[in-house]
């Protein structure tokens, strides 16, 4: 059984397939997921009937099959072929234009996909083997987390699709059909437990599409990459226009700007390497990581002060955070914290491939970068966020991210940990992405309050690196409990209730990935 599919939040689908089977009031619907488009209907109102014409209900659905009363089954013969197998009775459905179709059940019938002869027994046995192999790779987890982990593990498999020349993991077949930059890194963190090669592929897929100037794209999709504002879908531009700059009337920039995601690539590379040491991989990616790192200083630091900025909300990964209400260009403290950490990981990688001199230079870069951030952004009680040089008056979880460097002076780290443990951030379901007592806090609106697993994961790791193992353990424990109890691998959660926020998507890749990694007690040390 592995995991029960409700055919609403968890549709019947397959690794490598864009087809989703969903349950609706008037029967089953088969839809196809596409990049930045609503689900396309392949067929609808699929109903199976017995010989007397009575409609037969679905009695169970799991990764292998959807089963109807009386024994008929839906199975994937291959990622693009969905078959209906059964003997006796009939099935009927509608095609998108409304044309009605029906068939007497006499074996294996292709519903979607190229015509072909399939034997039901073989198709079922092959699906059974595929899933048994995948679940055999699932890391061991404590019993009370096993059910949710199986759901997460299934999510990771079905979100794998051929994209950009490799097998990439998409964030969700509901609305996010591409490989997103930092999502791929979080996905790699989970896949390293089962298939380090697949984990490396997530990172390589991103690096394969590096731009000539070193920039990494925001998204790799079926039609190319999203790497600057002119590549953005129109609907995104409209959404951004609603809030960006509204606090001070700036609005979006007129000309094209690059769009990427936070610099965590070397962080992920090193985690995968620690799980499955591979010097060849390190040597292959190192020059690309170096160019990607330098890009922030050459192309994303408009005032040239050595503290890079995000030039677009999407580059931060926190699309609608209230930070952007102050304008489209900003420097919340996470960016330079990630870069400082990345310099340390580049040092580790350089050392591992025998470049001792470069390793020493990266360490110096990391400490000089931190010194400069402390000297210019620490105001004695917190790190400041600037937007085009002016202070941003909103308190977000990003303010705590300097903990991620693991290099802060003791008093500074202690102050950040105290802030995290204060009522502004520490409720039953930490960590709200905007402080509970900030006027911009909204428990249901994406990055304006809800809990996201990646923020919790990175903060827990930072706490541990900064000497707060107890707080890190408590944060992880509460995060796991929240996800276990809320019912699914959602995109984000309401920090007051611990429930799915209403607009959050389900079957979300990095929630599944980071849940698996946390549940497996994955090491958080670099
Ligand atoms: C949303 C998130 C972003 C993420 C993307 C794909 O846009 O804000 O951080 O990378 O979805 O999951």
């Amino acid at each position: 059984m592995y995991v029960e599919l409700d055919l609403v939040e968890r549709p019947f689908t397959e690794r490598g397939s864009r087809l989703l089977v969903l349950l609706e009031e008037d029967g089953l619907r088969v839809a196809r997921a596409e990049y930045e488009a609503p689900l396309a209907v392949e067929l609808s109102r699929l109903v199976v009937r017995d010989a007397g014409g009575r409609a037969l209900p679905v009695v169970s659905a799991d990764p292998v099959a959807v089963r109807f009363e009386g024994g008929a089954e839906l199975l994937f013969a291959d990622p693009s072929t969905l078959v209906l197998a059964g003997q006796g009775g009939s099935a009927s459905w509608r095609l998108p234009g409304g044309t009605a179709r029906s068939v007497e059940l006499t074996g294996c019938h292709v519903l979607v996909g190229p015509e072909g002869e399939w034997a039901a027994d073989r198709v079922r046995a092959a699906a059974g083997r595929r899933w048994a192999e995948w679940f055999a790779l699932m890391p061991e987890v404590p019993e009370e987390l096993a059910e949710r982990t199986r759901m997460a593990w299934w999510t990771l498999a079905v979100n794998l699709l051929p994209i950009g020349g490799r097998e990439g993991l998409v964030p969700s077949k509901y609305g996010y059909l591409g490989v997103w930059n930092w999502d791929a890194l979080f996905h790699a963190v989970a896949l390293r437990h089962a298939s380090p090669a697949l984990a490396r592929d997530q990172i390589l897929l991103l690096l394969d599409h590096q731009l000539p100037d070193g920039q990494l794209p925001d998204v790799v999709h079926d039609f190319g990459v999203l790497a600057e504002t002119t590549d953005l879908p129109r609907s995104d531009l409209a959404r951004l226009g609603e809030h960006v700059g509204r606090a001070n009337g700036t609005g979006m920039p007129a000309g094209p700007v690059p769009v990427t995601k936070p610099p965590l690539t070397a962080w992920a590379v090193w985690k995968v390497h620690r799980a499955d040491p591979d010097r060849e991989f390190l040597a292959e990616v190192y020059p690309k990581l170096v160019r990607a790192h330098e890009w922030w200083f050459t192309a994303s630091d408009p005032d040239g002060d050595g503290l890079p900025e995000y030039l677009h909300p999407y580059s931060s990964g926190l699309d609608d955070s209230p930070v952007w209400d102050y304008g489209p260009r900003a420097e919340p403290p996470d960016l330079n914290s990630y870069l400082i950490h990345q310099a340390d990981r580049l040092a580790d990688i350089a050392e591992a491939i025998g470049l001792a001199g470069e390793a020493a230079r990266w360490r110096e870069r990391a400490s000089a970068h931190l010194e400069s951030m402390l000297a210019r952004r620490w105001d004695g009680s917190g790190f400041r966020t600037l937007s085009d040089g002016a202070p941003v008056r909103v308190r977000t979880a990003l303010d705590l991210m300097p903990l991620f460097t693991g290099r802060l002076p003791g008093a500074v780290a202690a102050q950040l940990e105290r802030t995290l443990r204060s009522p502004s951030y520490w409720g039953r379901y930490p960590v709200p992405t905007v402080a509970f007592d900030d006027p911009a806090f909204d428990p249901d609106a994406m990055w304006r309050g809800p809990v996201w697993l990646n923020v919790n994961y990175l903060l827990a790791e930072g706490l541990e690196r900064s000497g707060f193992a107890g707080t890190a353990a408590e944060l992880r424990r509460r995060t796991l409990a929240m996800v276990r109890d809320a019912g699914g691998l959602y995109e984000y959660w309401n920090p007051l209730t611990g429930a799915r926020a209403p607009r959050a998507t389900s079957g979300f890749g990095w929630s599944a990935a980071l849940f698996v990694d946390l549940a497996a007690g994955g090491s958080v040390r670099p």
Side-chain angles (χ1 to χ4, degrees), residues 301-517:
D301 181 16
D303 60 11
D305 66 352
L307 295 172
E309 301 171 35
Y310 294 121
L311 303 185
H312 189 274
Y314 284 7
S315 296
S316 74
L318 273 62
D319 312 2
D320 69 341
S321 168
V323 165
W324 310 111
D325 296 359
Y326 292 80
R329 163 184 158 194
E331 188 204 310
D334 64 322
L335 173 55
N336 285 290
S337 309
Y338 298 146
L339 285 167
I340 291 163
H341 179 78
Q342 178 146 281
D344 269 327
R345 295 293 76 81
L346 285 169
D348 291 337
I349 297 170
E351 227 159 63
I353 57 176
L355 303 173
E358 290 205 23
R361 278 197 293 281
W362 284 118
R363 296 265 182 246
E364 282 159 26
R365 278 273 291 269
S367 57
H369 195 161
L370 178 72
E371 283 315 313
S372 147
M373 189 177 166
L374 281 166
R376 285 183 286 162
R377 299 291 181 261
W378 174 251
D379 70 7
S381 61
F383 283 92
R384 289 184 302 147
T385 292
L386 299 180
S387 180
D388 202 359
V392 166
R393 303 202 193 288
V394 59
R395 285 168 301 129
T396 78
L398 299 180
D399 300 350
L400 310 172
M401 212 49 96
L403 287 166
F404 189 69
T405 63
R407 278 178 164 268
L408 296 176
V412 173
Q415 174 61 50
L416 294 188
E417 195 257 358
R418 263 198 308 279
T419 305
L420 173 63
R421 294 299 295 249
S422 76
S424 293
Y425 290 100
W426 200 258
R428 180 151 171 219
Y429 306 102
V431 177
T433 37
V434 171
F436 286 121
D437 51 357
D438 190 285
F441 172 75
D442 177 338
D444 287 329
M446 216 177 175
W447 294 103
R448 305 177 79 90
V451 178
W452 286 74
L453 253 56
N454 63 334
V455 169
N456 282 16
Y457 188 95
L458 297 172
L459 279 177
E461 193 173 303
L463 284 162
E464 182 139 332
R465 259 202 292 281
S466 304
F468 303 101
T471 306
E474 185 56 19
L475 176 54
R476 292 197 186 104
R477 205 188 59 70
R478 290 187 191 210
T479 305
L480 284 167
M482 179 192 74
V483 177
R484 180 196 55 187
D485 298 341
L489 283 316
Y490 302 123
E491 193 181 10
Y492 48 91
W493 287 259
N494 179 310
L496 299 172
T497 63
R500 172 193 194 168
R503 289 184 294 278
T505 192
S506 60
F508 190 62
W510 86 45
S511 296
L514 299 177
F515 182 83
V516 167
D517 188 75

Side-chain angles (χ1 to χ4, degrees), residues 231-248:
D231 303 328
L232 283 169
R234 236 180 252 282
S235 55
D236 286 43
L237 294 173
R239 224 178 7 248
L240 285 160
E242 282 167 21
H243 81 100
V244 175
R246 76 176 165 203
N248 56 5

Side-chain angles (χ1 to χ4, degrees), residues 27-53:
L28 293 171
R29 179 161 65 109
V30 182
R32 181 182 298 275
E34 287 166 9
Y35 175 65
E36 289 301 325
L39 290 179
V41 179
E42 289 279 335
L43 62 87
S44 59
R45 294 167 70 173
L46 169 66
V47 177
V48 173
R49 295 175 197 278
D50 66 12

